[in-house]
Amino acid sequence: QVQLVESGGGLVQPGGSLRLSCAASGSIFRISSMGWYRQAPGREREFVARIYTDGNINSADSVKGRFTISRDNAKNTVYLQQNRLKPEDTAVYYCTVTVDYKVYWGQGTQVTVSS
């Protein structure tokens, strides 16, 4: 089994920054990618960013230039640095990890952008 523990969400004013973290543990010997999705109230869950073991990155157009995904392979931890946050970034952010082609999800962390 794989366990994911997220942290770093909270309330921030528009234009502010947050850094989300997600630590993976358990049967994680062959992680191929780690990433983030988000779900706003009344909306479907959407892709935010993903980083592969070889360092390749995919990210949604809506966050390019503002959010940066990174990964510490030694700690099996993925980060999402969020800068220039907007009210429309308000959502529950979910960490994912892909191990042996199976995707595992974290419990989610709330990010609220409001003045």
Side-chain angles (χ1 to χ4, degrees), residues 45-100:
R45 192 171 297 187
E46 65 176 3
F47 169 75
V48 176
R50 179 184 297 114
I51 183 167
Y52 294 87
T53 301
D54 63 3
N56 283 333
I57 290 172
N58 300 135
S59 59
D61 288 343
S62 59
V63 305
K64 284 181 179 176
R66 300 188 299 121
F67 292 8
T68 302
I69 189 170
S70 62
R71 177 174 167 179
D72 185 333
N73 289 331
K75 296 182 179 179
N76 293 312
T77 299
V78 62
Y79 305 96
L80 187 68
Q81 178 66 43
Q82 302 176 298
N83 297 328
R84 293 188 282 137
L85 281 159
K86 305 175 181 179
E88 51 263 44
D89 295 318
T90 295
V92 177
Y93 284 73
Y94 296 91
C95 170
T96 70
V97 61
T98 302
V99 179
D100 290 335

Side-chain angles (χ1 to χ4, degrees), residues 1 12-13 16 20 22 28 39 66 72 89-90 94 105 111:
Q1 273 292 357
V12 63
Q13 293 186 343
L20 308 183
C22 174
I28 53 174
Q39 187 167 20
R66 300 188 299 121
D72 185 333
D89 295 318
T90 295
Y94 296 91
W105 294 82
V111 171

